[in-house]
Amino acid sequence: MNLKEFVEDIYLPYIDELRASTRKGYREIWKNHMSERVGQIRLREFRTVDASRMLKAIAEEHDLSKTTLQHIKSVLSGVFSHAKNEGAFDGVNPVQDARIPRNTREARETFAYSWPR
């Protein structure tokens, strides 16, 4: 089974128990950043280097902060944790040791807005 089949047939239905905003975020991350890059790789053949290369490619193509790349990494790690629990993957989570590229920008400061009176 490849990663795309597992995510779309098993993982995404599993996350339906999560909050709507979390589900939406996970689905967008999968669709926008991961599906085309790593979806064709078989679960049992996925390696840490695949996750690292994916994160590097995303960082080169998009102006994302380190925090956003950590979120992307976290979603993929969650996929493999679920795969282990479902018996679809054996071994150590390959995403665990993947590195976020060093030259990634830090998150910008956010500002709170006050309601007009």
Side-chain angles (χ1 to χ4, degrees), residues 18-27:
L18 302 176
R19 291 186 346 213
S21 60
T22 304
R23 286 193 313 265
K24 182 178 186 242
Y26 286 11
R27 290 175 193 279

Side-chain angles (χ1 to χ4, degrees), residues 14-116:
Y14 163 74
I15 66 167
D16 281 340
E17 302 168 8
L18 302 176
R19 291 186 346 213
S21 60
T22 304
R23 286 193 313 265
K24 182 178 186 242
Y26 286 11
R27 290 175 193 279
E28 286 181 5
I29 286 172
W30 170 252
K31 183 180 83 174
N32 295 335
H33 299 295
M34 290 192 268
S35 178
E36 296 301 317
R37 286 185 174 86
V38 295
Q40 74 287 354
I41 301 173
R42 296 175 66 105
L43 273 173
R44 66 177 177 221
E45 295 172 357
F46 195 92
R47 302 180 316 155
T48 301
V49 68
D50 298 316
S52 294
R53 287 178 181 159
M54 178 197 74
L55 292 166
K56 183 178 179 191
I58 292 168
E60 289 173 354
E61 291 177 27
H62 304 280
D63 181 32
L64 302 176
S65 70
K66 185 177 287 189
T67 303
T68 301
L69 288 170
Q70 288 170 336
H71 286 237
I72 293 169
K73 178 182 171 184
S74 178
V75 169
L76 187 57
S77 182
V79 167
F80 278 93
S81 292
H82 187 64
K84 287 178 70 170
N85 280 281
E86 292 295 308
F89 181 79
D90 291 319
V92 176
N93 186 330
V95 183
Q96 185 176 346
D97 292 326
R99 293 190 182 121
I100 303 294
R102 289 184 181 181
N103 59 346
T104 306
R105 71 171 173 81
E106 293 295 327
R108 295 183 183 113
E109 185 176 351
T110 58
F111 300 95
Y113 292 93
S114 59
W115 290 100

